[in-house]
Amino acid sequence: TKATEADAIAYVLFSSGSTGEPKGVEVSHRAAANTVDAIAAHFGLGADDHTIGLSALEFDLSVFDIFAPLGLGGTLVAVDAAEDRDAAAWSRLIAETGVTVVNCAPGLVTMLLDTASAAQLRSVRVVLTGGDRVKARAGQRLRELVPGVRFAGLGGTTETAIHSTICEVADSFPATWTNVPYGVPMANVRCRVVNSRGEDCPDWVAGELWIGGAGVARGYRGDPERTSDRFVEADGVRWYRTGDLARYLPDGTLDFLGRADHQVKVRGFRVELGEVESALAAQPGVTEAVALVTASGRLAAVAAAEPSADADAVLSGLHDLLPAYMIPEILELAPAIALTANGKLDRAAVARTLAAGDDSARDAYVAPQTPLEAAVCYIAAQVLGIERLGVATDFFDAGGNSILATTLTAKLRGLLGSESFGVTGVLEGRTVRGISAALLAGEPAPDRLDQVARILLELAEVSVPAEAVAAR
């Protein structure tokens, strides 16, 4: 029967979530279709819409990217594999194909905003983002760049078919909110905030978020014990216990507070890492942060901040928002926080950075041998916010990530006049020497690059190493 077909498994997506242990989530056709249909109806999507597919197939945001446009008779714009991490290439593709819908993780939205012009995004009318904390500033920047665009933060889990809640950043969005809250349930979805006794929490009181309704998955493949623990029946409704902390605001808005398993103990005090991260993100010059406890039991954090931000000033500002035991003992400021392949904040990479210390991830300094290498060293060090970078040091070991790789690519294109140079040259070259080789490989007149590099270094009043001078 049609009902039986609708309840059949559409896909099994393996996700480690916050535990690191893979689990296969069985999602039915009915559950996935409910999310796709709810979003399409909310935004009035139709056959005239073009959606760009930025999410990898192993990330469930791609389910919407594929089946929403194709199910409506619209168009899916596919990104070439060589450009799947090149935000500048996405911007060009959006402009060339008239993309109207962008659905991706928040980190990828930021990459687009950092590289795209208003002209390139003028066809976009809807931007959907979720899978990680959504910064209100991203929505505000986008609405300033593309007047009339609709920007929404979506909340949910793989176990509840991609997305379950929605909150649009519109004119009425409170200016004091740093993060976009989960908002309200989408069509055919129900939400509860539950205490340890299984009772609904009153407004403002934090509890575990439960999601019920048509989007709830079948369970975990081959794991009945975990399925029975996380998928429960209550009041005649089947719910998924998300493990997320949330609270209801008096106006009915659902506010996401962080993972329940991000609650840790520091010197005997219970600390919610999400609260520390939100307080850091509220400081002037800071855009986002990741907090954790080191192996030695110290509370530490890395914050993405503007060059003018000062770590001591940021920590001082936290005293107005947090008790003393929630102030990080270690705080590192960086131009950006590393992202996973799916565009989420890479907490594991942050942990490795803090564990390694400031300098241990960097190789011994090796001086540039040519004017081009010297110029690339200078530009890359500026992007990374460090004093100098050797030609043999891995850009990513020195603090680089996908966002900074995009930034470096854009600066190399502009300052060296290498319009054909793509982010792949950074991702595959990795070191200054490798990146310089990639620049030369795409240059019909290699001598031109050294000439441009010399001029750039002179204008920047950067001394050229003797080895590079000798290479003239």
Side-chain angles (χ1 to χ4, degrees), residues 260-278:
D261 50 18
H262 284 177
Q263 193 177 75
V264 297
K265 273 197 172 182
V266 178
R267 299 192 301 275
F269 293 99
R270 195 170 296 279
V271 174
E272 169 51 53
L273 294 177
E275 191 173 351
V276 177
E277 293 167 356
S278 294

Side-chain angles (χ1 to χ4, degrees), residues 48-51 77 92-101 123-124:
D48 294 332
D49 282 302
H50 290 55
T51 301
V77 177
R92 292 193 299 270
L93 191 59
I94 288 170
E96 291 168 2
T97 60
V99 165
T100 59
V101 180
S123 63
V124 177

Side-chain angles (χ1 to χ4, degrees), residues 49-335:
D49 282 302
H50 290 55
T51 301
I52 185 169
L54 295 180
S55 297
L57 293 180
E58 65 268 20
F59 189 27
D60 61 353
L61 266 64
S62 64
V63 175
F64 175 87
D65 290 343
I66 296 170
F67 293 102
L70 300 186
L72 295 166
T75 302
L76 170 62
V77 177
V79 179
D80 188 273
E83 298 176 332
D84 65 352
R85 286 182 284 179
D86 188 343
W90 309 339
S91 304
R92 292 193 299 270
L93 191 59
I94 288 170
E96 291 168 2
T97 60
V99 165
T100 59
V101 180
V102 176
N103 170 59
C104 61
L108 304 190
V109 173
T110 299
M111 291 171 67
L112 270 177
L113 287 169
D114 288 343
T115 57
S117 66
Q120 289 177 315
L121 298 182
R122 63 186 175 188
S123 63
V124 177
R125 70 181 190 88
V126 176
V127 173
L128 311 171
T129 184
D132 209 344
R133 286 185 185 272
V134 179
K135 296 298 176 183
R137 183 57 189 150
Q140 292 155 356
R141 286 179 62 191
L142 184 70
R143 296 180 76 232
E144 291 166 3
L145 191 65
V146 187
V149 72
R150 296 178 70 179
F151 177 94
L154 304 177
T157 65
T158 300
E159 288 87 347
T160 53
I162 321 166
H163 301 304
S164 303
T165 62
I166 186 166
C167 180
E168 288 198 51
V169 176
D171 293 340
S172 59
F173 190 87
T176 56
W177 287 2
T178 301
N179 298 319
V180 179
Y182 265 25
V184 297
M186 295 194 301
N188 303 316
V189 173
R190 297 175 64 178
C191 293
R192 296 177 64 194
V193 175
V194 180
N195 64 21
S196 59
R197 297 184 299 275
E199 302 165 339
D200 289 297
C201 295
D203 292 346
W204 297 110
V205 176
E208 183 183 20
L209 173 62
W210 290 17
I211 300 176
V216 178
R218 171 91 57 91
Y220 296 115
R221 192 172 189 84
D223 195 341
E225 183 177 348
R226 183 179 287 171
T227 297
S228 62
D229 176 55
R230 307 308 301 178
F231 296 84
V232 298
E233 294 275 348
D235 301 324
V237 178
R238 189 164 181 266
W239 303 89
Y240 170 63
R241 298 174 53 229
T242 66
D244 292 332
L245 289 177
R247 64 182 178 181
Y248 267 110
L249 304 182
D251 66 355
T253 297
L254 190 64
D255 190 20
F256 172 78
L257 300 176
R259 287 288 304 172
D261 50 18
H262 284 177
Q263 193 177 75
V264 297
K265 273 197 172 182
V266 178
R267 299 192 301 275
F269 293 99
R270 195 170 296 279
V271 174
E272 169 51 53
L273 294 177
E275 191 173 351
V276 177
E277 293 167 356
S278 294
L280 281 165
Q283 300 306 305
V286 176
T287 56
E288 58 190 358
V290 169
L292 52 83
V293 175
T294 66
S296 62
R298 303 171 73 190
L299 183 60
V302 172
E306 298 171 357
S308 59
D310 177 74
D312 290 337
V314 171
L315 288 172
S316 178
L318 292 182
H319 285 280
D320 295 332
L321 300 174
L322 299 172
Y325 65 83
M326 293 182 70
I327 306 296
E329 295 180 58
I330 304 168
L331 174 63
E332 290 192 11
L333 302 185

Side-chain angles (χ1 to χ4, degrees), residues 424-448:
T424 304
V426 176
L427 299 174
E428 295 181 355
R430 302 191 72 86
T431 66
V432 165
R433 184 147 288 161
I435 294 168
S436 298
L439 282 161
L440 288 169
E443 178 65 36
D447 290 344
R448 185 197 69 83

